[in-house]
Amino acid sequence: MEDNKITIIEGPPPVFEPAQDGWALGLGEGPHLGFTAITHLRTYNGSALVERCYRAWHNKSPIHLHFRNDMGLEEHAPIFAVRSVETPEGQVLLLWVNLDREKVQFGLDSSDDEDAEDSGKN
């Protein structure tokens, strides 16, 4: 059913960041080995997409984010929470999703390494 997914039809793959909000950390709890992450997507119809999620959840149906990964392969992730915000650049859709823990790659920020080295030097 088309209403039970949000599809990224153009642009690069979404960038996922670990969810840092205390309330969001509990979203991925359960018997599965998921990882709760957030992504920010530019959109022209944020309120309609939020409504689509609310309708699915009200009907006790899952809703997924469909996207292509860096290799061009289709992937999907269950959406657990959504919010649309206005920014100076336009509407942004915030999606909290559950990713397969085995597929998540953690990147190291080189500035973190430099900060750690700097703090160890006197």
Side-chain angles (χ1 to χ4, degrees):
M1 182 181 237
E2 187 66 29
D3 282 348
N4 284 357
K5 66 181 177 179
I6 293 175
T7 304
I8 298 174
I9 55 174
E10 62 182 41
V15 174
F16 296 102
E17 302 168 4
Q20 299 295 322
D21 302 313
W23 65 268
L25 296 176
L27 293 174
E29 291 181 355
H32 57 286
L33 295 176
F35 175 78
T36 303
I38 186 172
T39 188
H40 303 84
L41 306 173
R42 293 178 63 175
T43 184
Y44 294 107
N45 57 349
S47 58
L49 295 172
V50 169
E51 181 61 32
R52 183 184 298 176
C53 290
Y54 287 163
R55 274 196 316 268
W57 295 326
H58 179 74
N59 293 324
K60 302 198 183 335
S61 297
I63 187 159
H64 292 84
L65 173 64
H66 284 245
F67 60 96
R68 292 194 182 273
N69 64 21
D70 291 330
M71 306 265 308
L73 301 173
E74 288 187 23
E75 291 195 34
H76 60 88
I79 300 170
F80 289 111
V82 62
R83 182 175 177 204
S84 179
V85 295
E86 283 290 333
T87 68
E89 293 81 29
Q91 291 184 26
V92 174
L93 192 66
L94 307 177
L95 294 175
W96 286 265
V97 298
N98 191 329
L99 301 174
D100 184 345
R101 199 174 278 280
E102 294 182 12
K103 292 183 180 179
V104 174
Q105 294 182 5
F106 297 97
L108 295 177
D109 184 356
S110 61
S111 66
D112 290 343
D113 292 340
E114 292 170 8
D115 291 343
E117 288 177 13
D118 289 343
S119 66
K121 296 179 183 177
N122 289 327

